[in-house]
């Protein structure tokens, strides 16, 4: 190892966008000699990449910072240094508060400024005091970042869009991530080609509102996500394409056509609905009704009959009655989800819903969440169980938990385990699903000896 090399420890909370951002922050610091370490106590720099979306975000950050402060003090007592940076959405929303309450923090940076990290590190290590960068700068950070480094396996994330203009009543994202911004098709395709050259076989396109992507297409005019996916599908060896997270209002014709026509686009869509009650959808400022959501599901299934759906739900938004909750349960029944995420409403300071009358009592939220999650668990288990006996294409992504085992994912994003040689990692193999477990599938390779030994019927 280079004697000058420094160690960087990144702690990532929250969404896939944060996972991608953490990777890019590591990329931008690599030329300064920072190499990743798993050990916070041995790090010359620690970045805490935070999430503000739900409960007790700030308290969680301060308690983690308390822990890191002890490590920083121990390192300084031993004659070393530890630059402590707080990034992500809590940094954006509460930057000043962080520096006031945790003055040992050296750098606070919002999601739009991480390309400026090298300069911030230089300023912080000149002992010029703490550095705070939480504006929404006019330059595009992607123009200032080095190329992304190699993905850690056959799957990779690629951010194509950031920010959100939707302003759902409950959500902090439009405030922390700012207005919608799309990267151009040319830069996205170039990054995808690099990822594929480095071994990626599946790319998940990321954005807070990914299907609102309207970056410059090849001809310079605003493009659509469907056409962008078409351009990406032309990259040889890119076997699978996914995108997340989408808003129902931005499902346009080009996207339905992409699901119909592009085999690399996987038959799985995470499409948050939040509630099945039109009254609550309106209070949430979602800009769609339950019937419109069901219509989208129908169109998707017509375009791609094997498509599976995932969603996000919030129970206990201000004003939600028992009847509203029943409407959500009815929507779940009508769709049949392959998986889903569900949350109790948690007031986010500064959002309209936090100031609304008629907050729902905590015990009511608890009871509703339990009932809703039980239903979603049943649907997920049924979806997985129905895979048993089928032959399914699996992208093997790495070794499994046991020796001789591989881990991978199905077209519907289910984790799959099968015994097989490591040479299959990075390839898509048709496998026979033996068992559909509640959270994963167990499979057998076609040429597995056990299968060959099975007596003929
Ligand atoms: N309370 C509960 N859940 C929330 N989400 C976003 N904001 C809140 C909040 N204030 C959920 C939504 C969103 C997902 C990422 O997090 O369901 O789709
Ligand atoms: Fe938040 Fe709504 Fe935007 Fe999604 S669409 S990021 S829930 S404001």
């Amino acid at each position: 190892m280079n004697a000058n090399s420094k160690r960087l420890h990144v702690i990532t909370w929250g969404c896939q966008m944060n996972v991608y951002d953490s990777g890019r922050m590591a990329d931008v610091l690599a030329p300064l000699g920072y190499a990743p370490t798993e050990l916070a106590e041995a790090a010359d720099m620690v970045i805490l990449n935070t999430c503000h979306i739900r409960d007790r975000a700030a308290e969680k950050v301060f308690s983690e910072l308390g822990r890191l402060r002890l490590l920083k003090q121990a390192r300084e007592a031993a004659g070393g240094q530890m630059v402590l940076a707080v990034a992500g959405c809590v940094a954006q929303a509460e930057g000043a508060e962080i520096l006031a309450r945790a003055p040992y923090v050296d750098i606070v940076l919002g999601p739009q400024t991480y390309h400026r990290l090298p300069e911030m590190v230089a300023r912080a290590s000149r002992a010029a005091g703490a550095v705070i960068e939480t504006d929404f700068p006019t330059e595009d950070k992607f123009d200032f970042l080095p190329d992304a480094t190699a993905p850690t396996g056959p799957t990779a994330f690629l951010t194509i869009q950031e920010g959100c203009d939707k302003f759902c009543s409950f959500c902090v994202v439009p405030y922390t991530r700012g207005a919608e911004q799309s990267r151009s098709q040319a830069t996205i395709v170039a990054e995808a080609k690099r990822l594929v050259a480095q071994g990626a076989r599946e790319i998940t396109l990321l954005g807070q509102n990914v299907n609102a992507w309207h970056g410059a297409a090849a001809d310079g005019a605003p493009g659509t996500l469907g056409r962008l996916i078409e351009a990406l599908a032309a990259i040889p060896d890119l076997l699978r394409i996914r995108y997340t997270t989408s808003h129902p209002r931005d499902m346009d014709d080009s996207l339905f056509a992409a699901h119909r026509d592009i085999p690399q686009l996987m038959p799985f869509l995470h499409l948050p609905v939040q509630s099945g009650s039109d009254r609550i959808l309106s209070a949430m400022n979602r800009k769609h009704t339950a019937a419109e959501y069901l219509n989208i599901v129908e169109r998707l299934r017509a375009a791609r009959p094997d498509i599976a759906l995932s969603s996000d739900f919030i129970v206990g938004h201000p004003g939600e009655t028992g009847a509203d909750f029943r409407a959500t349960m009815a929507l779940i029944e009508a769709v049949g989800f392959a998986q889903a995420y569900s949350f109790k409403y948690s007031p986010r300071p500064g959002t309209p819903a936090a100031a609304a009358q008629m907050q729902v009592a905590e015990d009511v939220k608890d009871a509703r969440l339990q009932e809703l999650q039980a239903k979603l668990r049943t649907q997920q288990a049924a979806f997985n169980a129905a895979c048993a006996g089928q032959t399914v294409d699996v992208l093997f992504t790495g070794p499994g938990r046991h020796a001789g085992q591989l881990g991978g994912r199905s077209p519907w994003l289910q984790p799959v385990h099968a015994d097989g040689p490591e040479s299959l990692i990075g390839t898509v193999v048709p496998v026979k699903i033996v068992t559909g477990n509640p959270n994963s599938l167990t499979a057998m390779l076609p040429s597995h000896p056990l299968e060959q030994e099975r007596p003929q019927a």
Side-chain angles (χ1 to χ4, degrees), residues 8 11 51 57-58 66 113 124 131 213 261 289 303 362 381 415 434 436:
L8 171 69
I11 302 167
C51 172
T113 56
V131 178
W213 180 82
D261 300 334
T289 62
E362 213 50 34
V434 185

Side-chain angles (χ1 to χ4, degrees), residues 167-205:
F167 290 93
C168 297
S169 61
F170 51 82
C171 184
V172 285
V173 166
Y175 310 96
T176 56
R177 290 274 176 169
E180 265 176 36
Q181 268 188 311
S182 298
R183 298 173 73 190
S184 73
Q185 175 167 319
T187 59
I188 294 165
V189 170
E191 185 166 334
K193 284 183 175 160
R194 276 197 303 273
L195 291 170
V196 171
Q198 291 162 338
R201 294 294 170 264
E202 173 177 302
I203 292 182
T204 302
L205 307 176

Side-chain angles (χ1 to χ4, degrees), residues 262-283:
I262 302 175
Q264 293 94 324
L265 181 57
M266 288 293 98
F268 178 87
L269 182 60
H270 179 67
L271 190 63
V273 62
Q274 315 295 358
S275 167
S277 153
D278 287 346
R279 234 174 49 78
I280 294 300
L281 287 169
S282 161

Side-chain angles (χ1 to χ4, degrees), residues 30 45 60 80 101 124 163 188 205 209 236 267 314 334 360 392 410 436 448:
M45 173 158 183
K60 235 179 108 183
R101 272 179 65 183
I188 294 165
L205 307 176
N209 228 312
I314 296 178
V360 176
V392 165
S410 77
H448 195 280

